[in-house]
Amino acid sequence: MKKLWLAFTAVIIISFAVLGWSGFEIYQQKPPIPEKVVTTAGQTIIPEGEIIEGQSVWRAMGGMELGSVWGHGSYVAPDWTADYLHRECVFILDEWANERFGTAYDRIDPENQAALRERLKTLMKTNTFDGNSNTITLDPVRMRAFEYNFEHYLDIFINGDTRAAIRTGTLTDTLKVRQLTSFFFWSSWAASTNRIDGNKTYTSNWPHEPLIDNKPTSDAIIWTGFSIIMLLAGIGVMVWYHASQKQESIAENVPKNDPLLNFEATPSQNAVIKYFWVVAGLFLVQMVMGVISAHYGVEGDGFYGIPIDQWLPYTVARTWHTQLGIFWIATAWLAAGLFIGPAVIGYDPPGQKLGVNLLFGALILVVAGSMIGEWLSVMGHLKGDAWFYFGHQGYEYVDLGRVWQIALLAGLMLWLWLVGRCIVKAIRKGDEQKPLMTMFLISAAAIAGFYMAGLMWGKHTHLSIAEYWRWWVVHLWVEGFFEVFATVVIAFLFARLSLIRLKSANAAVIFSTTIFLTGGIIGTLHHLYFAGTPTVIMALGAIFSALEVVPLTIIGFEAWDNIKIARSAEWAQKYKWPIYFFVAVAFWNMVGAGLFGFMINPPIALYYMQGLNTTPVHAHTALFGVYGMLGLGLMLFCLRVLYIRKDWKDGIVKYAFWAINIGLTLMVVISLLPIGFLQTWASVEHGYWFARSSEFLYSDTITIFKWLRAPGDIVFALGITVLVLFIFGLATGHSLKGKKPVTPVSEHEKVGPTT
């Protein structure tokens, strides 16, 4: 056990040292933001401060929830970096062709086209940034291209664009549109201009744009090869180790009766039940927002003829869809922690129920307040800097305003105190469960602490730096330490049921956590290949994101172990469906995080696929398939214990389980994945801008695949609805066999689970 703890400690220290050093390198080599942009004739294209103000305009109106920049964001509207770049290139080529040949570029012969493209490449890729004056100096033709693009975006954001799901009046101030155009210009400039004394752009030649020969760098190809080698080597080592060390984790003497049959809930544990009602409600609303967001891809100004875009625009619907996913999953896991805390020591510490209720009120405040603030920001009702503090920050998955972020962090700290004091008491006992409880405390502290990364950027923080910290939240907080926490909780629950050996569980949890975090912490960098970062980020991200996949290759053993646990005793059938949700976690971990994750993670793949529908394939199957299923499994397990002396109508949960999993499979296999592959072909063949253009996304073939999402969505939605009704039915008694109860179990302040 000591060696396992040393390995775990070493991985944490070394990994975060590398991640911290990487952040320093990003800060040092990020694309410069000039004070102003001028022409060689001395004309001002972009005055001082306008690029930063444009970034604020973009964030306040929804940012990444309305199209994307550098490939990060939503999928209905264009990627504004690629869109601006392509429009600028076409404008310049047409102007030159008309000057020299008297006709448009696409009408001249290929030889002359090639000559103009070479001239354009030199113009666009030559870095004219002056660090002394903090100024970019451009050829006058690029000023005319800027004005051309400004007129285009003025029309889109004031008059709307149905195909891009941009409502009329998204912006009403001409100055804000100009500032927004300046920000788009800068993101495009960083993507098309070579670094000083370098032969690649600040975004490593992303996006693919044939007109200026933007194509994958040699680094992208080389580090893709290394990542595959590391993956194969890691799989070999993992399979060998697992074969040599595998032990049966199921207990030798499974009890004849349920050890929790005489369970009596404490007051705080009964107070946790309302958290699960909130989980069910948020889950249902998130599903509705997902349906609306998906439909905006085929009807950009309404929902089956209902013009909802003027009061529920795509940007708001998608914001709520992504944010509510984080909220309900996190709430389910936090509620499980609050339920397990008193179970560990057998009683409620003083004030535990009050703390649980206070935290519940804070949760409701943050959810409601942030959603209202985001709507007000997107609709343009927040003035000055209010968008940043109370509205929409514009960063996907971390959209909520700074005040709500701080309130959420305060709530997490309260949760850590409520759970942590119980765990500390258990650790002090020094019994066999001490290692498991120690890991429980570490993961709980990480959950509360790592959300602070979301406070590391301000109103005007450089986009590359903001992206670095944003992925600390999305990857490390959500995908990292929440999974560690869930692993510990599942092991604890099975141990309390005497279905697994506690000693085996202790070693397995520490080992699996160490292996997972070996790739998981530094693997965060694979999100940052093309976000204005240096080549070293690509190297580290490619290698360690491949290592993230390695432990998933033996995930089938975990699934089979869980199935055997569910079948190990007749009384264990009561826990069958909560356990089957854990089995689903293992399946989607292998498919969603492993297969679909590695499909887009290597640099050469992500170069063409970033921000295409291959991304939501991974997002749906990994975020919901893994972490959502974990949340549902933990919730159902806790509720099963709370209603331990009552029989459930298991057929309802069975239907919900299969409908959710089959619906998710259909959604991905017959809609999202084919669209993603077709977009990848378009990106490779014609350029990234084309794969994200309305021209391509509204083609007949793509439209058919969009509509093919409906069958999977319907099955998925039915499963969710049935599960939500089941959760509420536990309170009313409609989900229980026999007479309807008033309360799940009796309350006793000092009595916990009997084992």
Side-chain angles (χ1 to χ4, degrees), residues 16 89 111 119 182 207 216 225 338 352 386 470 525 536 623 682 689 745:
F16 277 108
C89 291
E111 184 178 348
R119 179 183 171 189
S182 298
L338 292 172
Q352 187 77 1
R470 182 174 76 92
L525 298 175
V536 67
L623 181 57
W689 70 273
V745 292

Side-chain angles (χ1 to χ4, degrees), residues 223-276:
W223 292 113
T224 294
F226 268 98
S227 72
I228 294 172
I229 292 171
M230 291 299 294
L231 174 64
L232 295 176
I235 290 174
V237 172
M238 178 59 64
V239 171
W240 174 83
Y241 180 85
H242 188 269
S244 64
Q245 298 293 321
K246 182 169 174 58
Q247 299 177 356
E248 289 294 332
S249 59
I250 297 178
E252 297 91 340
N253 299 310
V254 176
K256 294 182 179 180
N257 297 306
D258 187 348
L260 301 183
L261 190 60
N262 295 321
F263 171 84
E264 300 288 348
T266 68
S268 75
Q269 287 175 318
N270 273 328
V272 169
I273 294 177
K274 56 180 171 287
Y275 282 76
F276 297 130

Side-chain angles (χ1 to χ4, degrees), residues 124-125 134 163 176 179 195 204 214 232 319 364 373 398 441 443 523 564 570 575 587 593 600 638 689 743 750:
M124 299 291 286
K125 288 191 173 291
N134 202 14
R163 287 192 160 194
K176 286 188 175 182
Q179 292 169 338
R195 291 176 178 269
S204 294
N214 247 21
L232 295 176
T319 297
I364 298 299
V398 200
L441 184 62
S443 62
K564 288 193 294 183
E570 184 176 349
Y575 304 93
F587 172 80
I600 64 174
C638 293
W689 70 273
T743 57
K750 296 284 185 177

Side-chain angles (χ1 to χ4, degrees), residues 519-701:
I521 295 175
I522 303 176
T524 304
L525 298 175
H526 81 261
H527 299 284
L528 303 172
Y529 294 155
F530 312 116
T533 58
T535 301
V536 67
I537 302 302
M538 183 180 293
L540 291 169
I543 290 173
F544 283 90
S545 66
L547 293 178
E548 285 186 87
V549 182
V550 169
L552 304 181
T553 57
I554 58 171
I555 206 73
F557 292 107
E558 177 187 333
W560 179 240
D561 284 344
N562 286 339
I563 291 174
K564 288 193 294 183
I565 287 172
R567 298 173 178 175
S568 59
E570 184 176 349
W571 58 263
Q573 290 297 304
K574 279 191 173 184
Y575 304 93
K576 174 181 178 179
W577 291 107
I579 293 175
Y580 267 50
F581 273 93
F582 298 149
V583 174
V585 169
F587 172 80
W588 289 113
N589 223 341
M590 180 177 62
V591 175
L595 177 62
F596 293 143
F598 193 73
M599 177 181 74
I600 64 174
N601 279 0
I604 194 64
L606 198 60
Y607 179 84
Y608 292 108
M609 290 181 172
Q610 181 161 283
L612 306 184
N613 274 266
T614 46
T615 304
V617 166
H618 172 55
H620 282 84
T621 55
L623 181 57
F624 173 76
V626 178
Y627 305 104
M629 291 290 186
L630 268 173
L632 296 177
L634 291 173
M635 174 177 67
L636 289 172
F637 212 115
C638 293
L639 288 171
R640 179 65 276 184
V641 174
L642 282 166
Y643 290 87
I644 192 63
R645 291 187 288 279
K646 300 293 180 180
D647 291 328
W648 283 6
K649 294 180 180 178
D650 282 342
I652 302 175
V653 186
K654 177 182 178 180
Y655 174 85
F657 173 83
W658 288 113
I660 289 172
N661 281 279
I662 292 172
L664 180 59
T665 302
L666 292 175
M667 179 198 310
V668 169
V669 172
I670 68 176
S671 180
L672 290 176
L673 194 58
I675 293 174
F677 284 155
L678 289 171
Q679 280 187 294
T680 302
W681 171 85
S683 177
V684 174
E685 188 73 13
H686 301 289
Y688 184 81
W689 70 273
F690 182 69
R692 290 287 302 274
S693 67
S694 296
E695 176 186 356
F696 180 76
L697 290 176
Y698 276 85
S699 63
D700 291 342
T701 301

Side-chain angles (χ1 to χ4, degrees), residues 707-752:
W707 279 109
L708 283 175
R709 180 167 170 173
D713 280 2
I714 291 171
V715 175
F716 187 70
L718 286 173
I720 292 173
T721 303
V722 168
L723 184 63
V724 169
L725 291 175
F726 175 83
I727 300 302
F728 287 113
L730 290 175
T732 63
H734 290 87
S735 298
L736 301 172
K737 295 179 180 178
K739 296 182 179 180
K740 301 176 184 178
V742 178
T743 57
V745 292
S746 59
E747 295 184 350
H748 294 288
E749 182 68 28
K750 296 284 185 177
V751 180

